[in-house]
Amino acid sequence: MKSFSTRFPVLVTERRRFLRAGTGFALLAFMPRLQARGVGMTALSAVLPAPTLRLPDLDDKTVDLADFRGKVVLVNFWATWCPPCRKEFPSLGRLRKLFKPADLEVLAVNVGEDSETAFSFAGSPEFPLLFDRDSKAMVRWSVKGLPTTFIVDRRGRLALRAVGGREFDDPAIVTQLGDLLNLGRA
């Protein structure tokens, strides 16, 4: 009889990849410097267009980042099994309420989980919950660990990044977003 790895090589490869990635993600949970309140986001030195992001939401409707051109968009990659992700998730909703809907959108991209798992944790947030079930968006966006968050400016360019947990309604981040919103109007 053939072994499991011989009969299902793709599944074994994916499992190994996820386990290796999971080890890195778990390490982020134990790095307090990345979880600390008051830590802002890092400005990206190169002005690059945001990678493509077209993913299904809870209703299986496709949400496209390109449709939000003209707004600043926070794109948060997360999973329910990730402690820093779980800790920062409520702050995404609080941040969303601090800005006008015409100015800021939050897109929470769940990585590798089904909609029932994500919904049981998140409920019905006031922002789109998207699903990167095959982790292809995560690869396109060069996400190395969860949580990772990007800010896309009004022109669709990557502006800021945060690796590790944050409180997104922290004054340092709110100020960074406010500055970015004001720059976009100039």
Side-chain angles (χ1 to χ4, degrees):
M1 179 172 198
K2 292 183 178 181
S3 71
F4 181 83
S5 60
T6 306
R7 291 187 323 207
F8 303 104
V10 172
L11 293 176
V12 171
T13 302
E14 283 299 306
R15 181 172 174 257
R16 284 185 189 137
R17 183 182 63 80
F18 232 81
L19 288 174
R20 277 195 307 268
T23 303
F25 298 151
L27 288 176
L28 286 176
F30 298 104
M31 297 177 74
R33 145 181 105 71
L34 294 176
Q35 294 184 46
R37 284 188 65 86
V39 177
M41 298 184 72
T42 304
L44 299 173
S45 56
V47 178
L48 299 171
T52 303
L53 187 68
R54 294 190 71 214
L55 295 169
D57 66 8
L58 276 169
D59 297 322
D60 214 29
K61 293 180 185 172
T62 300
V63 175
D64 190 341
L65 175 64
D67 293 340
F68 297 100
R69 177 79 42 100
K71 290 185 180 187
V72 171
V73 182
L74 181 148
V75 179
N76 176 259
F77 288 86
W78 70 286
T80 61
W81 50 261
C82 161
C85 300
R86 293 176 68 92
K87 183 177 179 190
E88 79 178 5
F89 199 85
S91 73
L92 294 171
R94 294 191 305 265
L95 174 72
R96 179 67 189 81
K97 292 177 183 176
L98 293 175
F99 293 94
K100 295 176 187 172
D103 289 335
L104 176 75
E105 186 58 74
V106 172
L107 301 176
V109 180
N110 180 276
V111 178
E113 296 179 302
D114 59 58
S115 54
E116 292 81 23
T117 302
F119 181 76
S120 68
F121 168 73
S124 296
E126 296 180 21
F127 47 84
L129 204 57
L130 309 180
F131 295 92
D132 184 18
R133 292 181 181 104
D134 57 8
S135 304
K136 288 183 180 177
M138 188 174 115
V139 170
R140 267 193 314 276
W141 283 69
S142 299
V143 173
K144 305 290 187 235
L146 296 180
T148 296
T149 303
F150 295 91
I151 302 295
V152 179
D153 70 14
R154 293 178 187 272
R155 294 182 182 169
R157 301 174 304 185
L158 295 174
L160 302 168
R161 177 181 61 212
V163 178
R166 299 289 190 276
E167 291 293 326
F168 287 100
D169 57 343
D170 183 273
I173 293 175
V174 171
T175 298
Q176 285 180 296
L177 289 173
D179 291 346
L180 189 60
L181 285 165
N182 291 331
L183 275 176
R185 290 190 180 106

